[in-house]
Amino acid sequence: MAPETAAPETPATGSRLLRTALGLLLAASLLAAAHQVRPTPYGDHFTAHARVEHATAPEHATAPRLRTHGATVEAYDGRTGELRWTHAREGRRPLTVLPARGEAITLWDDGLVTDTARGAVRWHRALPDAAGLLAAHGGAGVLRALDRGMLAVVTPERITAYRIADGDLRWVLPARRGCAFEPARGMRHGTVLLVAQPCPESAWTAQLIAVDDLGRITPHRTPLGNERHSPEHPHTGKVVAPPR
């Protein structure tokens, strides 16, 4: 029996294969273009203007100088004054920017907090119920640096602490019922952040709250220190994760 031979490819078959291949290439090109033009989730526009130090840079490397300019956060080289990078968000305006160990933590007018470092926007955190506060008082006192790489975000309803390295939520301290924190009335004393919490018909000692990187400082803890005692985190508020 003679072996079977493949049917010769006709011009019509070759034409169909060519059209299929061209269609697949066109679809891939359209998908790639759509991926490139799709908006970023938070409307970020980050532009690097100069060489940015990487994570391996020495700890003594000069931290950038930060400022807000219109709708943009700008970082300048601390030694040369050269513009390093700019960060803007679509339709949003930065209210205040906090320098923290070479990083830029920015509060925006929609209540979003961003962390920018080493040539990228690293994380975003949204503040609940912050629209009224920001519209009336701006961002004064909302962002507060704590020790051990921690950030306190102070709003009338609560104080929230995040780990700057990755934006991890560490603890939440709600205001007392019928009371409210005043972000602008806060100050650092050593490692401690003191925040006013006015309460009607309360002693003045109850109207001043002291916190550090572990949460609220109480008589069960060493004042102005970060040592842990048993039970762990007494009266800290809502503890989300143990300190690392």
Side-chain angles (χ1 to χ4, degrees), residues 44-62:
D44 291 306
H45 295 281
F46 183 89
T47 305
H49 295 272
R51 182 181 63 85
V52 179
E53 295 164 352
H54 297 284
T56 56
E59 292 185 1
H60 57 77
T62 305

Side-chain angles (χ1 to χ4, degrees), residues 149-163:
M150 297 283 288
L151 168 73
V153 179
V154 185
T155 62
E157 293 81 14
R158 63 187 64 83
I159 302 175
T160 309
Y162 300 94
R163 188 168 53 205

Side-chain angles (χ1 to χ4, degrees), residues 124-184:
H124 305 75
R125 296 294 180 267
L127 305 186
D129 308 321
L133 165 70
L134 299 180
H137 304 288
V142 174
L143 301 181
R144 300 282 186 172
L146 300 174
D147 275 11
R148 299 188 183 184
M150 297 283 288
L151 168 73
V153 179
V154 185
T155 62
E157 293 81 14
R158 63 187 64 83
I159 302 175
T160 309
Y162 300 94
R163 188 168 53 205
I164 296 176
D166 54 10
D168 186 41
L169 177 62
R170 306 307 294 169
W171 52 261
V172 178
L173 176 63
R176 289 180 56 188
R177 182 174 299 179
C179 310
F181 295 117
E182 293 194 1

Side-chain angles (χ1 to χ4, degrees), residues 46-58 60-65 75-86 102 117-120:
F46 183 89
T47 305
H49 295 272
R51 182 181 63 85
V52 179
E53 295 164 352
H54 297 284
T56 56
H60 57 77
T62 305
R65 293 187 295 104
Y76 295 84
D77 189 281
R79 293 180 294 104
T80 66
E82 183 182 11
L83 180 62
R84 284 189 180 180
W85 52 258
T86 57
R118 295 187 288 278

Side-chain angles (χ1 to χ4, degrees), residues 9 15 17 27 32 42 73-74 82 89 91 122 128 149 161 163 189 206 216 218 223 231 242-243:
E9 184 177 294
S15 178
L17 291 175
Y42 301 97
V73 179
E74 300 176 343
E82 183 182 11
R89 293 182 56 232
R122 300 201 303 168
R163 188 168 53 205
H189 181 73
R216 183 177 180 182
T218 70

